[in-house]
mmCIF file of all heavy atoms in Angstrom:
data_model
loop_
_atom_site.group_PDB
_atom_site.id
_atom_site.type_symbol
_atom_site.label_atom_id
_atom_site.label_comp_id
_atom_site.label_asym_id
_atom_site.label_seq_id
_atom_site.Cartn_x
_atom_site.Cartn_y
_atom_site.Cartn_z
ATOM 1 N N ALA A 10 24.482 -50.471 98.834
ATOM 2 C CA ALA A 10 24.235 -49.094 98.399
ATOM 3 C C ALA A 10 22.758 -48.725 98.546
ATOM 4 O O ALA A 10 21.888 -49.586 98.640
ATOM 5 C CB ALA A 10 24.668 -48.931 96.939
ATOM 6 N N GLU A 11 22.506 -47.417 98.568
ATOM 7 C CA GLU A 11 21.159 -46.868 98.659
ATOM 8 C C GLU A 11 20.468 -47.263 99.949
ATOM 9 O O GLU A 11 19.258 -47.538 99.982
ATOM 10 C CB GLU A 11 20.317 -47.255 97.445
ATOM 11 C CG GLU A 11 20.890 -46.753 96.127
ATOM 12 C CD GLU A 11 20.038 -47.095 94.929
ATOM 13 O OE1 GLU A 11 18.838 -47.444 95.109
ATOM 14 O OE2 GLU A 11 20.552 -47.013 93.805
ATOM 15 N N ARG A 12 21.228 -47.310 101.038
ATOM 16 C CA ARG A 12 20.698 -47.556 102.381
ATOM 17 C C ARG A 12 19.994 -48.905 102.487
ATOM 18 O O ARG A 12 19.052 -49.079 103.239
ATOM 19 C CB ARG A 12 19.749 -46.418 102.774
ATOM 20 C CG ARG A 12 19.426 -46.310 104.262
ATOM 21 C CD ARG A 12 18.347 -45.289 104.505
ATOM 22 N NE ARG A 12 17.639 -45.516 105.746
ATOM 23 C CZ ARG A 12 16.391 -45.134 105.981
ATOM 24 N NH1 ARG A 12 15.708 -44.501 105.051
ATOM 25 N NH2 ARG A 12 15.817 -45.362 107.134
ATOM 26 N N ARG A 13 20.458 -49.884 101.751
ATOM 27 C CA ARG A 13 19.824 -51.196 101.785
ATOM 28 C C ARG A 13 20.306 -52.009 102.968
ATOM 29 O O ARG A 13 21.502 -52.182 103.178
ATOM 30 C CB ARG A 13 20.117 -51.976 100.495
ATOM 31 C CG ARG A 13 19.471 -51.421 99.229
ATOM 32 C CD ARG A 13 19.781 -52.342 98.057
ATOM 33 N NE ARG A 13 19.167 -51.926 96.813
ATOM 34 C CZ ARG A 13 19.782 -51.219 95.872
ATOM 35 N NH1 ARG A 13 21.066 -50.859 96.048
ATOM 36 N NH2 ARG A 13 19.153 -50.875 94.762
ATOM 37 N N GLY A 14 19.366 -52.539 103.723
ATOM 38 C CA GLY A 14 19.651 -53.568 104.694
ATOM 39 C C GLY A 14 19.463 -54.932 104.063
ATOM 40 O O GLY A 14 19.182 -55.055 102.866
ATOM 41 N N ILE A 15 19.576 -55.980 104.853
ATOM 42 C CA ILE A 15 19.484 -57.335 104.299
ATOM 43 C C ILE A 15 18.108 -57.596 103.688
ATOM 44 O O ILE A 15 17.992 -58.329 102.698
ATOM 45 C CB ILE A 15 19.813 -58.393 105.370
ATOM 46 C CG1 ILE A 15 20.200 -59.734 104.720
ATOM 47 C CG2 ILE A 15 18.664 -58.566 106.346
ATOM 48 C CD1 ILE A 15 21.502 -59.720 103.983
ATOM 49 N N ILE A 16 17.060 -56.991 104.239
ATOM 50 C CA ILE A 16 15.720 -57.205 103.698
ATOM 51 C C ILE A 16 15.587 -56.594 102.308
ATOM 52 O O ILE A 16 15.037 -57.216 101.391
ATOM 53 C CB ILE A 16 14.665 -56.650 104.668
ATOM 54 C CG1 ILE A 16 14.684 -57.472 105.966
ATOM 55 C CG2 ILE A 16 13.268 -56.669 104.035
ATOM 56 C CD1 ILE A 16 13.803 -56.909 107.065
ATOM 57 N N ASP A 17 16.112 -55.392 102.127
ATOM 58 C CA ASP A 17 16.076 -54.762 100.810
ATOM 59 C C ASP A 17 16.882 -55.576 99.795
ATOM 60 O O ASP A 17 16.477 -55.740 98.646
ATOM 61 C CB ASP A 17 16.625 -53.333 100.901
ATOM 62 C CG ASP A 17 15.948 -52.525 101.972
ATOM 63 O OD1 ASP A 17 14.800 -52.124 101.783
ATOM 64 O OD2 ASP A 17 16.583 -52.317 103.032
ATOM 65 N N VAL A 18 18.034 -56.068 100.218
ATOM 66 C CA VAL A 18 18.858 -56.897 99.341
ATOM 67 C C VAL A 18 18.116 -58.187 98.979
ATOM 68 O O VAL A 18 18.142 -58.640 97.831
ATOM 69 C CB VAL A 18 20.212 -57.209 99.994
ATOM 70 C CG1 VAL A 18 21.015 -58.197 99.146
ATOM 71 C CG2 VAL A 18 21.018 -55.928 100.200
ATOM 72 N N GLY A 19 17.417 -58.776 99.954
ATOM 73 C CA GLY A 19 16.675 -60.001 99.700
ATOM 74 C C GLY A 19 15.611 -59.833 98.636
ATOM 75 O O GLY A 19 15.455 -60.685 97.761
ATOM 76 N N GLY A 20 14.867 -58.721 98.695
ATOM 77 C CA GLY A 20 13.842 -58.480 97.694
ATOM 78 C C GLY A 20 14.424 -58.327 96.303
ATOM 79 O O GLY A 20 13.880 -58.829 95.313
ATOM 80 N N LEU A 21 15.563 -57.647 96.225
ATOM 81 C CA LEU A 21 16.226 -57.450 94.933
ATOM 82 C C LEU A 21 16.741 -58.769 94.369
ATOM 83 O O LEU A 21 16.575 -59.072 93.178
ATOM 84 C CB LEU A 21 17.369 -56.454 95.090
ATOM 85 C CG LEU A 21 18.133 -56.088 93.815
ATOM 86 C CD1 LEU A 21 17.227 -55.358 92.845
ATOM 87 C CD2 LEU A 21 19.351 -55.227 94.168
ATOM 88 N N VAL A 22 17.386 -59.575 95.211
ATOM 89 C CA VAL A 22 17.924 -60.868 94.770
ATOM 90 C C VAL A 22 16.795 -61.789 94.291
ATOM 91 O O VAL A 22 16.904 -62.435 93.241
ATOM 92 C CB VAL A 22 18.721 -61.534 95.901
ATOM 93 C CG1 VAL A 22 19.033 -62.996 95.569
ATOM 94 C CG2 VAL A 22 20.013 -60.769 96.166
ATOM 95 N N ALA A 23 15.702 -61.831 95.041
ATOM 96 C CA ALA A 23 14.582 -62.693 94.659
ATOM 97 C C ALA A 23 14.012 -62.292 93.307
ATOM 98 O O ALA A 23 13.715 -63.147 92.468
ATOM 99 C CB ALA A 23 13.489 -62.629 95.729
ATOM 100 N N GLU A 24 13.886 -60.983 93.094
ATOM 101 C CA GLU A 24 13.321 -60.502 91.833
ATOM 102 C C GLU A 24 14.257 -60.738 90.657
ATOM 103 O O GLU A 24 13.850 -61.258 89.610
ATOM 104 C CB GLU A 24 13.003 -59.010 91.943
ATOM 105 C CG GLU A 24 12.467 -58.394 90.663
ATOM 106 C CD GLU A 24 12.192 -56.909 90.794
ATOM 107 O OE1 GLU A 24 12.492 -56.331 91.864
ATOM 108 O OE2 GLU A 24 11.687 -56.324 89.818
ATOM 109 N N ARG A 25 15.523 -60.371 90.820
ATOM 110 C CA ARG A 25 16.459 -60.449 89.702
ATOM 111 C C ARG A 25 16.811 -61.896 89.345
ATOM 112 O O ARG A 25 16.988 -62.225 88.167
ATOM 113 C CB ARG A 25 17.735 -59.670 90.031
ATOM 114 C CG ARG A 25 17.494 -58.194 90.241
ATOM 115 C CD ARG A 25 17.127 -57.464 88.942
ATOM 116 N NE ARG A 25 16.827 -56.066 89.172
ATOM 117 C CZ ARG A 25 17.740 -55.114 89.254
ATOM 118 N NH1 ARG A 25 19.030 -55.422 89.121
ATOM 119 N NH2 ARG A 25 17.383 -53.859 89.469
ATOM 120 N N LEU A 26 16.921 -62.759 90.351
ATOM 121 C CA LEU A 26 17.284 -64.154 90.086
ATOM 122 C C LEU A 26 16.060 -65.055 89.941
ATOM 123 O O LEU A 26 16.207 -66.237 89.655
ATOM 124 C CB LEU A 26 18.191 -64.688 91.196
ATOM 125 C CG LEU A 26 19.516 -63.955 91.412
ATOM 126 C CD1 LEU A 26 20.374 -64.721 92.404
ATOM 127 C CD2 LEU A 26 20.251 -63.739 90.108
ATOM 128 N N GLU A 27 14.866 -64.478 90.178
ATOM 129 C CA GLU A 27 13.608 -65.220 90.038
ATOM 130 C C GLU A 27 13.656 -66.501 90.864
ATOM 131 O O GLU A 27 13.398 -67.612 90.359
ATOM 132 C CB GLU A 27 13.317 -65.521 88.570
ATOM 133 C CG GLU A 27 13.147 -64.279 87.720
ATOM 134 C CD GLU A 27 12.821 -64.604 86.265
ATOM 135 O OE1 GLU A 27 13.026 -65.766 85.849
ATOM 136 O OE2 GLU A 27 12.346 -63.698 85.568
ATOM 137 N N CYS A 28 13.961 -66.349 92.144
ATOM 138 C CA CYS A 28 14.049 -67.503 93.025
ATOM 139 C C CYS A 28 13.353 -67.192 94.346
ATOM 140 O O CYS A 28 12.991 -66.053 94.642
ATOM 141 C CB CYS A 28 15.500 -67.897 93.255
ATOM 142 S SG CYS A 28 16.494 -66.667 94.116
ATOM 143 N N ASP A 29 13.162 -68.235 95.161
ATOM 144 C CA ASP A 29 12.573 -68.077 96.486
ATOM 145 C C ASP A 29 13.668 -67.679 97.463
ATOM 146 O O ASP A 29 14.753 -68.281 97.495
ATOM 147 C CB ASP A 29 11.934 -69.382 96.942
ATOM 148 C CG ASP A 29 10.788 -69.809 96.047
ATOM 149 O OD1 ASP A 29 10.342 -68.988 95.224
ATOM 150 O OD2 ASP A 29 10.342 -70.965 96.170
ATOM 151 N N VAL A 30 13.366 -66.669 98.282
ATOM 152 C CA VAL A 30 14.363 -66.138 99.205
ATOM 153 C C VAL A 30 13.709 -65.874 100.562
ATOM 154 O O VAL A 30 12.583 -65.374 100.637
ATOM 155 C CB VAL A 30 14.980 -64.824 98.671
ATOM 156 C CG1 VAL A 30 15.918 -64.203 99.707
ATOM 157 C CG2 VAL A 30 15.744 -65.073 97.376
ATOM 158 N N LEU A 31 14.432 -66.195 101.616
ATOM 159 C CA LEU A 31 14.036 -65.851 102.976
ATOM 160 C C LEU A 31 15.113 -64.943 103.570
ATOM 161 O O LEU A 31 16.282 -65.306 103.583
ATOM 162 C CB LEU A 31 13.878 -67.100 103.844
ATOM 163 C CG LEU A 31 13.651 -66.845 105.347
ATOM 164 C CD1 LEU A 31 12.313 -66.157 105.576
ATOM 165 C CD2 LEU A 31 13.737 -68.155 106.124
ATOM 166 N N ALA A 32 14.702 -63.764 104.041
ATOM 167 C CA ALA A 32 15.624 -62.863 104.738
ATOM 168 C C ALA A 32 15.436 -63.031 106.237
ATOM 169 O O ALA A 32 14.311 -63.103 106.741
ATOM 170 C CB ALA A 32 15.357 -61.420 104.336
ATOM 171 N N VAL A 33 16.554 -63.104 106.943
ATOM 172 C CA VAL A 33 16.569 -63.282 108.397
ATOM 173 C C VAL A 33 17.398 -62.165 109.003
ATOM 174 O O VAL A 33 18.523 -61.903 108.545
ATOM 175 C CB VAL A 33 17.205 -64.647 108.772
ATOM 176 C CG1 VAL A 33 17.374 -64.760 110.267
ATOM 177 C CG2 VAL A 33 16.375 -65.792 108.234
ATOM 178 N N GLN A 34 16.861 -61.519 110.029
ATOM 179 C CA GLN A 34 17.628 -60.459 110.694
ATOM 180 C C GLN A 34 17.363 -60.508 112.191
ATOM 181 O O GLN A 34 16.213 -60.554 112.630
ATOM 182 C CB GLN A 34 17.239 -59.088 110.151
ATOM 183 C CG GLN A 34 17.940 -57.916 110.849
ATOM 184 C CD GLN A 34 17.533 -56.586 110.258
ATOM 185 O OE1 GLN A 34 17.987 -56.202 109.187
ATOM 186 N NE2 GLN A 34 16.653 -55.876 110.941
ATOM 187 N N VAL A 35 18.427 -60.492 112.977
ATOM 188 C CA VAL A 35 18.338 -60.425 114.431
ATOM 189 C C VAL A 35 19.054 -59.153 114.881
ATOM 190 O O VAL A 35 20.207 -58.926 114.505
ATOM 191 C CB VAL A 35 18.971 -61.664 115.101
ATOM 192 C CG1 VAL A 35 19.064 -61.476 116.608
ATOM 193 C CG2 VAL A 35 18.169 -62.915 114.767
ATOM 194 N N ARG A 36 18.351 -58.340 115.673
ATOM 195 C CA ARG A 36 18.931 -57.101 116.176
ATOM 196 C C ARG A 36 19.129 -57.208 117.682
ATOM 197 O O ARG A 36 18.172 -57.313 118.437
ATOM 198 C CB ARG A 36 18.018 -55.897 115.857
ATOM 199 C CG ARG A 36 18.622 -54.541 116.246
ATOM 200 C CD ARG A 36 17.619 -53.414 116.035
ATOM 201 N NE ARG A 36 17.148 -53.365 114.667
ATOM 202 C CZ ARG A 36 17.837 -52.799 113.665
ATOM 203 N NH1 ARG A 36 19.021 -52.259 113.903
ATOM 204 N NH2 ARG A 36 17.332 -52.790 112.434
ATOM 205 N N ARG A 37 20.398 -57.228 118.101
ATOM 206 C CA ARG A 37 20.781 -57.238 119.517
ATOM 207 C C ARG A 37 20.068 -58.349 120.297
ATOM 208 O O ARG A 37 19.805 -58.227 121.486
ATOM 209 C CB ARG A 37 20.547 -55.879 120.156
ATOM 210 C CG ARG A 37 21.361 -54.764 119.518
ATOM 211 C CD ARG A 37 21.165 -53.432 120.240
ATOM 212 N NE ARG A 37 21.634 -53.521 121.625
ATOM 213 C CZ ARG A 37 22.908 -53.395 121.982
ATOM 214 N NH1 ARG A 37 23.866 -53.191 121.079
ATOM 215 N NH2 ARG A 37 23.250 -53.479 123.252
ATOM 216 N N ASP A 38 19.750 -59.418 119.600
ATOM 217 C CA ASP A 38 19.079 -60.579 120.182
ATOM 218 C C ASP A 38 17.726 -60.244 120.820
ATOM 219 O O ASP A 38 17.178 -61.028 121.585
ATOM 220 C CB ASP A 38 19.960 -61.300 121.199
ATOM 221 C CG ASP A 38 20.413 -62.651 120.678
ATOM 222 O OD1 ASP A 38 19.659 -63.255 119.911
ATOM 223 O OD2 ASP A 38 21.516 -63.087 121.034
ATOM 224 N N ARG A 39 17.179 -59.085 120.461
ATOM 225 C CA ARG A 39 15.877 -58.699 120.997
ATOM 226 C C ARG A 39 14.787 -58.692 119.923
ATOM 227 O O ARG A 39 13.612 -58.842 120.223
ATOM 228 C CB ARG A 39 15.958 -57.296 121.624
ATOM 229 C CG ARG A 39 14.623 -56.855 122.219
ATOM 230 C CD ARG A 39 14.652 -55.463 122.740
ATOM 231 N NE ARG A 39 13.277 -55.010 123.004
ATOM 232 C CZ ARG A 39 12.965 -53.792 123.368
ATOM 233 N NH1 ARG A 39 13.909 -52.885 123.517
ATOM 234 N NH2 ARG A 39 11.705 -53.462 123.577
ATOM 235 N N GLN A 40 15.185 -58.513 118.673
ATOM 236 C CA GLN A 40 14.216 -58.403 117.584
ATOM 237 C C GLN A 40 14.584 -59.382 116.476
ATOM 238 O O GLN A 40 15.717 -59.390 115.988
ATOM 239 C CB GLN A 40 14.211 -56.977 117.040
ATOM 240 C CG GLN A 40 13.240 -56.764 115.882
ATOM 241 C CD GLN A 40 13.486 -55.450 115.163
ATOM 242 O OE1 GLN A 40 14.649 -55.047 114.988
ATOM 243 N NE2 GLN A 40 12.423 -54.764 114.768
ATOM 244 N N LEU A 41 13.611 -60.198 116.066
ATOM 245 C CA LEU A 41 13.788 -61.122 114.953
ATOM 246 C C LEU A 41 12.870 -60.702 113.812
ATOM 247 O O LEU A 41 11.670 -60.488 114.020
ATOM 248 C CB LEU A 41 13.448 -62.547 115.382
ATOM 249 C CG LEU A 41 13.322 -63.589 114.251
ATOM 250 C CD1 LEU A 41 14.648 -63.767 113.532
ATOM 251 C CD2 LEU A 41 12.803 -64.913 114.798
ATOM 252 N N ALA A 42 13.428 -60.581 112.618
ATOM 253 C CA ALA A 42 12.645 -60.265 111.429
ATOM 254 C C ALA A 42 12.807 -61.375 110.407
ATOM 255 O O ALA A 42 13.906 -61.886 110.199
ATOM 256 C CB ALA A 42 13.094 -58.934 110.823
ATOM 257 N N LEU A 43 11.699 -61.744 109.775
ATOM 258 C CA LEU A 43 11.680 -62.743 108.703
ATOM 259 C C LEU A 43 10.845 -62.184 107.563
ATOM 260 O O LEU A 43 9.724 -61.714 107.784
ATOM 261 C CB LEU A 43 11.057 -64.060 109.183
ATOM 262 C CG LEU A 43 11.693 -64.746 110.398
ATOM 263 C CD1 LEU A 43 10.790 -65.871 110.886
ATOM 264 C CD2 LEU A 43 13.072 -65.285 110.062
ATOM 265 N N VAL A 44 11.382 -62.231 106.344
ATOM 266 C CA VAL A 44 10.651 -61.768 105.170
ATOM 267 C C VAL A 44 10.877 -62.778 104.051
ATOM 268 O O VAL A 44 12.008 -63.232 103.846
ATOM 269 C CB VAL A 44 11.106 -60.370 104.707
ATOM 270 C CG1 VAL A 44 10.217 -59.870 103.558
ATOM 271 C CG2 VAL A 44 11.078 -59.371 105.874
ATOM 272 N N GLY A 45 9.803 -63.125 103.333
ATOM 273 C CA GLY A 45 9.931 -64.125 102.271
ATOM 274 C C GLY A 45 9.425 -63.622 100.936
ATOM 275 O O GLY A 45 8.507 -62.796 100.867
ATOM 276 N N TRP A 46 10.046 -64.126 99.876
ATOM 277 C CA TRP A 46 9.658 -63.777 98.511
ATOM 278 C C TRP A 46 9.610 -65.028 97.640
ATOM 279 O O TRP A 46 10.403 -65.954 97.820
ATOM 280 C CB TRP A 46 10.668 -62.823 97.861
ATOM 281 C CG TRP A 46 10.827 -61.505 98.521
ATOM 282 C CD1 TRP A 46 10.197 -60.328 98.210
ATOM 283 C CD2 TRP A 46 11.728 -61.189 99.588
ATOM 284 N NE1 TRP A 46 10.638 -59.316 99.027
ATOM 285 C CE2 TRP A 46 11.573 -59.812 99.871
ATOM 286 C CE3 TRP A 46 12.635 -61.946 100.319
ATOM 287 C CZ2 TRP A 46 12.313 -59.173 100.872
ATOM 288 C CZ3 TRP A 46 13.351 -61.324 101.322
ATOM 289 C CH2 TRP A 46 13.188 -59.951 101.589
ATOM 290 N N ARG A 47 8.705 -65.014 96.682
ATOM 291 C CA ARG A 47 8.737 -65.945 95.556
ATOM 292 C C ARG A 47 8.968 -65.110 94.311
ATOM 293 O O ARG A 47 8.034 -64.472 93.807
ATOM 294 C CB ARG A 47 7.428 -66.717 95.453
ATOM 295 C CG ARG A 47 7.212 -67.726 96.574
ATOM 296 C CD ARG A 47 6.020 -68.617 96.291
ATOM 297 N NE ARG A 47 5.776 -69.569 97.369
ATOM 298 C CZ ARG A 47 6.416 -70.706 97.528
ATOM 299 N NH1 ARG A 47 7.362 -71.053 96.670
ATOM 300 N NH2 ARG A 47 6.142 -71.515 98.529
ATOM 301 N N GLY A 48 10.193 -65.045 93.876
ATOM 302 C CA GLY A 48 10.533 -64.146 92.793
ATOM 303 C C GLY A 48 10.246 -62.709 93.208
ATOM 304 O O GLY A 48 10.631 -62.282 94.301
ATOM 305 N N ALA A 49 9.554 -61.960 92.361
ATOM 306 C CA ALA A 49 9.281 -60.547 92.644
ATOM 307 C C ALA A 49 8.178 -60.346 93.671
ATOM 308 O O ALA A 49 7.966 -59.227 94.149
ATOM 309 C CB ALA A 49 8.910 -59.832 91.350
ATOM 310 N N GLU A 50 7.472 -61.415 94.030
ATOM 311 C CA GLU A 50 6.331 -61.288 94.939
ATOM 312 C C GLU A 50 6.763 -61.509 96.394
ATOM 313 O O GLU A 50 7.259 -62.563 96.754
ATOM 314 C CB GLU A 50 5.250 -62.305 94.591
ATOM 315 C CG GLU A 50 4.056 -62.264 95.516
ATOM 316 C CD GLU A 50 3.084 -63.402 95.304
ATOM 317 O OE1 GLU A 50 3.392 -64.272 94.466
ATOM 318 O OE2 GLU A 50 2.036 -63.419 95.972
ATOM 319 N N GLU A 51 6.549 -60.488 97.233
ATOM 320 C CA GLU A 51 6.763 -60.670 98.659
ATOM 321 C C GLU A 51 5.553 -61.392 99.228
ATOM 322 O O GLU A 51 4.409 -60.957 99.055
ATOM 323 C CB GLU A 51 6.943 -59.324 99.355
ATOM 324 C CG GLU A 51 7.184 -59.468 100.851
ATOM 325 C CD GLU A 51 7.355 -58.138 101.568
ATOM 326 O OE1 GLU A 51 8.121 -57.286 101.060
ATOM 327 O OE2 GLU A 51 6.722 -57.950 102.625
ATOM 328 N N ILE A 52 5.781 -62.485 99.955
ATOM 329 C CA ILE A 52 4.672 -63.283 100.461
ATOM 330 C C ILE A 52 4.361 -63.014 101.919
ATOM 331 O O ILE A 52 3.343 -63.486 102.442
ATOM 332 C CB ILE A 52 4.935 -64.780 100.248
ATOM 333 C CG1 ILE A 52 6.168 -65.237 101.035
ATOM 334 C CG2 ILE A 52 5.078 -65.096 98.770
ATOM 335 C CD1 ILE A 52 6.347 -66.744 101.028
ATOM 336 N N GLY A 53 5.199 -62.265 102.617
ATOM 337 C CA GLY A 53 4.902 -61.933 104.006
ATOM 338 C C GLY A 53 6.138 -61.509 104.761
ATOM 339 O O GLY A 53 7.264 -61.747 104.349
ATOM 340 N N ARG A 54 5.882 -60.842 105.905
ATOM 341 C CA ARG A 54 6.989 -60.453 106.773
ATOM 342 C C ARG A 54 6.558 -60.522 108.234
ATOM 343 O O ARG A 54 5.389 -60.328 108.559
ATOM 344 C CB ARG A 54 7.551 -59.085 106.407
ATOM 345 C CG ARG A 54 6.623 -57.910 106.467
ATOM 346 C CD ARG A 54 7.379 -56.610 106.129
ATOM 347 N NE ARG A 54 8.014 -56.642 104.813
ATOM 348 C CZ ARG A 54 9.037 -55.869 104.456
ATOM 349 N NH1 ARG A 54 9.564 -55.004 105.324
ATOM 350 N NH2 ARG A 54 9.545 -55.955 103.244
#
C-alpha cells in the first residue's frame, strides 16, 4: 500500500522489527539496487 516498492517495505520492516535488513531489486536485468538498514537507520544505497 501507499505506492511502496520493496525498498520502502525494507525501511519499514527494519524500523518496526529493529533488525538489519538488505533490500535487493533487479529491474529487467539492467538495473541493480541495494539498500541497507540497521534498524531505523539507513546506512547506504
